[in-house]
Amino acid sequence: MSPVGQQHAIRFITSPFKHKRFTSMRSELFRIPLEWGGVPLFGGGALLVALLLGVGLYALWSKRAHGAQADLWGLLPPTGVAAAILLLTPRLAPAGVPIRAYGVLLVAAIAVGLVMSIHRARSRGIDADTVLSLALWWLFIPGIVGARLFFVIEYWEVRYAALPWREAVFDAFRFTEGGLVVYGSLIGATLGFLAFAWRYRLPALALADLIAPSLLAGLAIGRVGCLMNGCCFGGPCELPWAVTFPPTSPPFEEQLARGELHGVRLRTATDGQSLTIDLPAEHAGERVLAVDGVATRSAYEAAAGFRAAYAAGRPVELRLARGETLRLPASTLRRSRPVHPTQIYSTINAALLAWLLWTLYPLRRRDGTVLLTMLTLYPIGRFLLEMIRIDEADFLGTGMSISQNLSLVLLAAAALGWWVVLTRPAALWPGISQGSDSKVGTPAPTAA
């Protein structure tokens, strides 16, 4: 008999796998070296020369073909940004430039959304340049800023609070490796969209109807990037299509920190100051005072004990408040326990909504109905998906994640929007909704 209580051996949470599990995650596709054959590619190397040469040749061709300089001024901001990135690359990525699956699929999502929007916009009297300007400068950049800012705020205590400020700032800019929240992107992109509609004197509802299917199509592709990156993961799953993730992935790290790889599951108590056992059932609700001999007051402190034990391949001891000590077997798992592929669920959900909105667009009788359909159906799907996702914590004691709370807010806003749209006479703005030969997108006059 131990002086602190009887020793208990804990079995693993799940039975041996009955099905062949899908494995997932390949966050880095390949890496571009800083030099090739002794020739530097980044910094002041070959890529910068190629960029400046390409822009210069385009400028000469454009001047001869059109004789105007207005379009050339528009090249300066993106060219300057690209040149700055190339110059800073050797300092930011001394081991080479990693090409992440998340970033590649993010670019693919933007490309697909642009093609869809341009295709439909041309039939409505809007030129491709206007759509490109809207997508890249007024939607994409504000959307990325909003999505990343939302992520940083939501996970500040977990991921950033303990970092030195320089490291925290640097990590906050690494959005191509994941960490973008859809609702944050929606907020940022909405602000940019409203500014664009006001600037170019375009009806916001008619324009929103036009681009809504593209947003959902892009989201469907982006969620595949989430699967490759391992973010936005679901809870435990024993279904045949469950997926597992490798070490260092978010699901693996979460399960390791909670003790699931060692056969238990710890959770933060309702007081927010202590840990309790969720599994196994015979000890459910008991407080945990120490993990691996180290006193713990939070899940963050407990995670260190589990990680140390896993790395050393040794058992773990949990000291409980009532005096018992639970001895957990050493974990031999080399991948996470099976979880719901919520990223794929999200992809299917977004793809079906994109198809529905694309089909609905030519059938609508009022501007705003396509947008409101999206704002009604997407929050419902997101709310349900959040019920099996475990990567977001309870928000302000509501018992729901922050995304579920925002889903309810969006549904309320959509209900108000439907009331406004349906109480107005049925009408479509002819400049966008019914097509027009006139050029759309003239900037509004500004005060002198």
Side-chain angles (χ1 to χ4, degrees), residues 54-227:
V55 172
L57 291 175
Y58 176 79
L60 290 175
W61 172 83
S62 180
K63 184 176 181 180
R64 290 183 179 181
H66 305 291
Q69 300 293 326
D71 293 339
L72 300 182
W73 287 107
L75 289 175
L76 292 181
T79 301
V81 171
I85 292 174
L86 292 174
L87 288 171
L88 292 174
T89 295
R91 294 186 59 186
L92 298 177
V97 180
I99 302 302
R100 310 280 185 184
Y102 189 90
V104 170
L105 287 164
L106 182 63
V107 172
I110 296 169
V112 169
L114 276 174
V115 170
M116 291 176 62
S117 296
I118 290 174
H119 172 77
R120 182 145 277 169
R122 282 176 170 169
S123 66
R124 302 303 180 205
I126 304 178
D127 57 81
D129 289 342
T130 301
V131 176
L132 286 171
S133 175
L134 169 62
L136 297 179
W137 297 107
W138 301 84
L139 291 180
F140 175 70
I141 293 179
I144 290 293
V145 171
R148 189 58 175 176
L149 184 60
F150 198 101
F151 176 85
V152 171
I153 293 173
E154 183 177 359
Y155 294 97
W156 178 261
E157 291 295 331
V158 178
R159 181 166 177 167
Y160 297 98
L163 295 177
W165 72 269
R166 290 179 183 273
E167 187 176 344
V169 171
F170 179 75
D171 188 78
F173 281 96
R174 297 167 61 185
F175 65 88
T176 57
E177 300 179 18
L180 300 177
V181 180
V182 171
Y183 279 143
S185 176
L186 179 63
I187 294 171
T190 297
L191 295 176
F193 172 81
L194 293 175
F196 177 87
W198 174 83
R199 169 72 172 162
Y200 290 95
R201 298 186 296 186
L202 293 173
L205 288 179
L207 188 59
D209 281 349
L210 189 146
I211 66 173
S214 307
L215 297 178
L216 270 299
L219 178 60
I221 297 173
R223 284 304 189 191
V224 179
C226 293
L227 178 69

Side-chain angles (χ1 to χ4, degrees), residues 22-26 226-230 243-246 335 343:
F22 293 101
T23 59
S24 182
M25 186 178 173
R26 185 180 178 184
C226 293
L227 178 69
M228 301 294 286
N229 194 56
V243 296
T244 63
F245 291 86
R335 296 187 68 87
Q343 306 93 336

Side-chain angles (χ1 to χ4, degrees), residues 116-117 119-120 124 186 205-220 348-379 414 418:
M116 291 176 62
S117 296
H119 172 77
R120 182 145 277 169
R124 302 303 180 205
L186 179 63
L205 288 179
L207 188 59
D209 281 349
L210 189 146
I211 66 173
S214 307
L215 297 178
L216 270 299
L219 178 60
I348 296 173
N349 177 58
L352 290 175
L353 283 178
W355 170 81
L356 175 63
L357 298 180
W358 184 266
T359 305
L360 178 64
Y361 184 83
L363 304 177
R364 75 208 186 289
R365 294 295 177 264
R366 289 178 169 86
D367 287 330
T369 53
V370 177
L371 170 68
L372 290 172
T373 301
M374 180 185 75
L375 295 181
T376 301
L377 296 180
Y378 178 78
W418 280 114

Side-chain angles (χ1 to χ4, degrees), residues 11-14 235-236 251-252 254-266 279 306 328 331 333 337-339 390:
R11 294 176 297 176
F12 286 123
I13 296 173
T14 58
F252 187 93
E254 174 72 14
Q255 291 181 6
L256 178 58
R258 294 288 180 180
E260 293 184 47
L261 299 188
H262 290 274
V264 298
R265 183 186 301 147
L266 303 187
L279 289 172
F306 284 119
L328 312 179
S331 175
L333 297 179
R337 293 186 181 278
V339 297
I390 61 171

Side-chain angles (χ1 to χ4, degrees), residues 298-320:
S298 68
Y300 312 121
E301 295 174 339
F306 284 119
R307 289 192 181 101
Y310 179 84
R314 54 180 170 78
V316 184
E317 290 187 351
L318 304 185
R319 182 158 56 88
L320 305 182

